Amino acid sequence: DAGVTQSPTHLIKTRGQQVTLRCSPKSGHDTVSWYQQALGQGPQFIFQYYEEEERQRGNFPDRFSGHQFPNYSSELNVNALLLGDSALYLCASSLEPGLNYEQYFGPGTRLTVT
Amino acid sequence: AQSVTQLGSHVSVSEGALVLLRCNYSSSVPPYLFWYVQYPNQGLQLLLKYTTGATLVKGINGFEAEFKKSETSFHLTKPSAHMSDAAEYFCAVSERGNKLVFGAGTILRVKS
């Protein structure tokens, strides 16, 4: 049973560029959440997708956007990259939000902005 | 708004000693509480969770945690530390399974 997968593993971008990160949820899961983990900090919630719609959003600017596909996979897009966007981006999948289901995390994508 | 405070950014114990990692939370509704572990360059792995029912929760790798509503705490313990327990541990709170709010993490060092 495949767990949560993310691609790419590492990514280096330049300030001002745009980036797309990808996530495939654990088999049977229909909800995807994205988190940003800066160095030395706990993960911070970016947004959550369910039924191809953004259900919840954390305190992140509009430069951060996402998408969920019919097969439940998801993308995180970040425009106009800033040095402060350098972080580990974690994807987590779960069953329908609002219920008693834990989130399973992928290995993350390490984004470095230079 | 929900929040989590983890007391001690670094904890060091000897192999075989008791592990105690502290977590206090704030929530306006009955919380769901979680402990996750993160090994270097990896994602987060769920150790245990509390949703409802029994307040003493047992997880993987011999860890357990007790939900104490009166103290708004959810401390993580393990009777005997093993070298393989060295990692970073995160406490998190959520409202009914929605977004997770994490603490800043505690790095556990196990000395031989």
Side-chain angles (χ1 to χ4, degrees):
Chain A
D1 177 23
V4 180
T5 60
Q6 293 185 243
S7 64
T9 305
H10 295 86
L11 203 53
I12 300 175
K13 290 287 188 178
T14 304
R15 273 181 303 174
Q17 285 188 317
Q18 178 264 344
V19 68
T20 297
L21 311 182
R22 296 176 176 83
C23 171
S24 291
K26 180 179 169 64
S27 178
H29 284 182
D30 57 11
T31 302
V32 173
S33 301
W34 287 92
Y35 294 83
Q36 180 195 66
Q37 185 179 17
L39 198 61
Q41 298 183 21
Q44 292 201 344
F45 175 77
I46 304 175
F47 43 52
Q48 182 182 77
Y49 277 84
Y50 172 67
E51 293 186 335
E52 301 180 51
E53 291 190 0
E54 184 180 290
R55 285 280 304 256
Q56 275 191 297
R57 188 177 183 92
N59 188 25
F60 279 81
D62 292 345
R63 298 186 298 109
F64 290 76
S65 63
H67 188 77
Q68 186 179 35
F69 299 94
N71 67 353
Y72 308 123
S73 67
S74 177
E75 289 182 349
L76 164 65
N77 300 292
V78 186
N79 294 322
L81 285 167
L82 304 173
L83 294 179
D85 295 332
S86 295
L88 180 68
Y89 287 85
L90 296 165
C91 169
S93 75
S94 58
L95 292 170
E96 182 180 350
L99 300 179
N100 177 19
Y101 297 117
E102 59 253 35
Q103 296 185 21
Y104 291 80
F105 284 80
T109 294
R110 174 74 63 187
L111 172 65
T112 302
V113 182
T114 62
Chain B
Q2 295 177 307
S3 66
V4 172
T5 301
Q6 291 185 238
L7 297 176
S9 58
H10 291 78
V11 170
S12 183
V13 301
S14 298
E15 193 172 20
L18 171 72
V19 175
L20 171 61
L21 304 182
R22 300 178 185 274
C23 171
N24 288 89
Y25 70 91
S26 171
S27 178
S28 58
V29 299
Y32 289 179
L33 294 160
F34 306 81
W35 275 100
Y36 284 87
V37 61
Q38 185 175 38
Y39 297 97
N41 300 313
Q42 293 188 25
L44 302 175
Q45 180 184 11
L46 181 67
L47 282 176
L48 49 80
K49 67 175 183 179
Y50 168 80
T51 53
T52 59
T55 57
L56 182 62
V57 180
K58 295 186 184 299
I60 62 172
N61 301 338
F63 284 95
E64 62 181 37
E66 186 172 9
F67 170 60
K68 292 187 177 181
K69 183 178 178 180
S70 61
E71 300 178 6
T72 60
S73 68
F74 190 58
H75 302 330
L76 182 71
T77 61
K78 182 175 181 178
S80 176
H82 191 271
M83 295 298 289
S84 61
D85 295 327
E88 189 162 17
Y89 292 79
F90 292 95
C91 181
V93 63
S94 79
E95 290 184 13
R96 296 194 165 279
N98 287 311
K99 70 174 185 179
L100 291 166
V101 175
F102 287 88
T106 297
I107 295 173
L108 175 65
R109 178 190 172 205
V110 182
K111 299 176 291 185
S112 59

